[in-house]
Amino acid sequence: MLKFDNVYFKYDEDNEPMIDGLSFEVDDGDFISVIGASGCGKSTVFRLINGLEKAQRGSISVDGKNIADIKNYSAYMPQKDLLFPWRTIEKNICMPMEIQKINKTEMHEKACEVLKEVGLYEYRDKYPKDLSGGMKQRASFARTLLSGADLMLLDEPFSALDSITRMGLQEWLLDEWQKHKKTVLFVTHDVEEAIFLSKKIFIITDRPVSHFEECKVPLSYPRNRDDMKRSDIGDMKAMLIKKLRQEAAV
Ligand SMILES: Nc1ncnc2c1ncn2[C@@H]1O[C@H](COP(=O)(O)OP(=O)(O)OP(=O)(O)O)[C@@H](O)[C@H]1O
Ligand SMILES: [Mg+2]
């Protein structure tokens, strides 16, 4: 579904490239987590996918088409929730539909449907300041979902939340993913979260980024928290933490 072919990318102000010769593929319906030390380029990869940055060499394609030639193929939920404080929750989540010039009645209907699904229907006329951190993340997710894109790029969506809220949202996200049959790329620093959510984990271990190490999670869906106690899962967690610590020490 998503394909990077020999991609090279350098920020203008840097001397060294951030990414050099990166190739990878993501299948339709995958749930993939991307992990790696802070500053290794995870958000940069997302910015390249959704066209906020342009690769200087190589190609990035979605469903066989170069991303330069297509629109609305991905929805990006950035690291910080970017809800506009002066817009109500409903008006916030309608933004991608406003951009697509969807008519008002349809927009309202779709927004209400998704607001019910994420448990925020009663809050539709409130402002972001009236919501808890977890609720704001659900609102941000609703907005990402309403962009209609099949490829969702979620950049550390739960990192600012307490662990109990976070666990609830992880389970909720897996339900949503299965219901909507989206393809998800998910950045996290939390190895346990990556294992619990993903089919596969991409690990960034080099600089400039030239490849992802891939690790397949041996669990089926729906997932059960108790599976996290399995010894093979424990070993996987230890292995991933070791890799991240080696990388952070470079
Ligand atoms: N707009 C930019 N212009 C120049 N350099 C940038 C820009 N954005 C990021 N960088 C640099 O690129 C590198 C990778 O940044 P990126 O945000 O992709 O890392 P990350 O893996 O997402 O980190 P974190 O886990 O902390 O979010 C960093 O060294 C950063 O300083
Ligand atoms: Mg980042």
Side-chain angles (χ1 to χ4, degrees), residues 57-114:
R57 288 203 294 272
S59 78
I60 303 175
S61 55
V62 170
D63 292 333
K65 298 184 194 87
N66 194 300
I67 57 166
D69 305 326
I70 49 176
K71 281 196 180 133
N72 300 328
Y73 54 88
S74 76
Y76 181 38
M77 180 170 163
Q79 245 167 306
K80 276 193 297 210
D81 92 68
L82 286 183
L83 297 173
F84 290 108
W86 60 85
R87 283 185 158 229
T88 63
I89 297 306
E90 178 174 345
K91 290 267 181 285
N92 259 293
I93 75 162
C94 283
M95 287 179 63
M97 295 190 286
E98 284 175 15
I99 293 164
Q100 291 169 48
K101 304 210 175 4
I102 289 174
N103 80 57
K104 283 211 163 98
T105 318
E106 189 185 345
M107 196 152 72
H108 177 67
E109 278 169 10
K110 281 194 170 168
C112 288
E113 191 185 316
V114 173

Side-chain angles (χ1 to χ4, degrees), residues 30-46:
D30 261 352
F31 196 124
I32 293 183
S33 287
V34 183
I35 62 173
S38 184
C40 71
K42 303 178 295 294
S43 299
T44 305
V45 169
F46 276 15

Side-chain angles (χ1 to χ4, degrees), residues 11 13-14 18 37-44 47 53 79 156 189:
Y11 283 109
E13 49 273 59
D14 291 346
M18 199 58 244
S38 184
C40 71
K42 303 178 295 294
S43 299
T44 305
R47 293 162 62 81
E53 303 287 353
Q79 245 167 306
E156 302 194 45
H189 281 276

Side-chain angles (χ1 to χ4, degrees), residues 19 50 60 64 71 77 93-94 115 132 138 147 156 161:
I19 295 171
N50 83 341
I60 303 175
K71 281 196 180 133
M77 180 170 163
I93 75 162
C94 283
L115 281 166
S132 71
R138 279 187 277 147
S147 77
E156 302 194 45
L161 304 173

Side-chain angles (χ1 to χ4, degrees), residues 152-217:
M152 299 186 76
L153 310 170
L154 311 180
D155 197 346
E156 302 194 45
F158 306 147
S159 58
L161 304 173
D162 67 89
S163 61
I164 300 296
T165 307
R166 193 171 176 145
M167 282 204 245
L169 282 180
Q170 289 165 355
E171 283 151 25
W172 173 82
L173 175 62
L174 283 182
D175 281 348
E176 295 288 306
W177 167 65
Q178 286 175 310
K179 211 179 296 165
H180 293 277
K181 308 215 178 323
K182 302 277 183 185
T183 305
V184 174
L185 278 179
F186 186 98
V187 167
T188 179
H189 281 276
D190 181 337
V191 165
E192 187 151 335
E193 177 169 83
I195 297 175
F196 182 68
L197 294 175
S198 326
K199 279 191 193 174
K200 246 191 268 174
I201 299 174
F202 287 165
I203 313 142
I204 300 182
T205 54
D206 58 358
R207 191 173 312 185
V209 186
S210 70
H211 73 295
F212 291 153
E213 281 188 36
E214 287 193 29
C215 170
K216 201 170 174 299
V217 178

